[in-house]
Amino acid sequence: MKEEFEVVRQPLLFRPEEAAERLSVGRTMLFELIRSGRLRSVKIGGARRISPKALADFVADLEREGVT
């Protein structure tokens, strides 16, 4: 019997709106987190992007702080 697997590809970088949705926060809150240095991001040209690892690290920091 042949098994089939679906490969799910995750983007390397998220737009701010996508990152905000994943964190269940608004766009304004997301940019405040970036400005405060709590959430890492990169700029490509004039565009701000957030990596999945930066999102995961941010959530891990919240868990360590006891804020969920």
Side-chain angles (χ1 to χ4, degrees), residues 14-35:
F14 294 114
R15 293 187 334 261
E17 296 77 12
E18 294 169 322
E21 183 178 323
R22 281 164 175 75
L23 292 175
S24 299
V25 300
R27 190 174 183 274
T28 301
M29 173 59 78
L30 183 95
F31 278 105
E32 178 55 36
L33 292 169
I34 291 170
R35 273 191 289 279

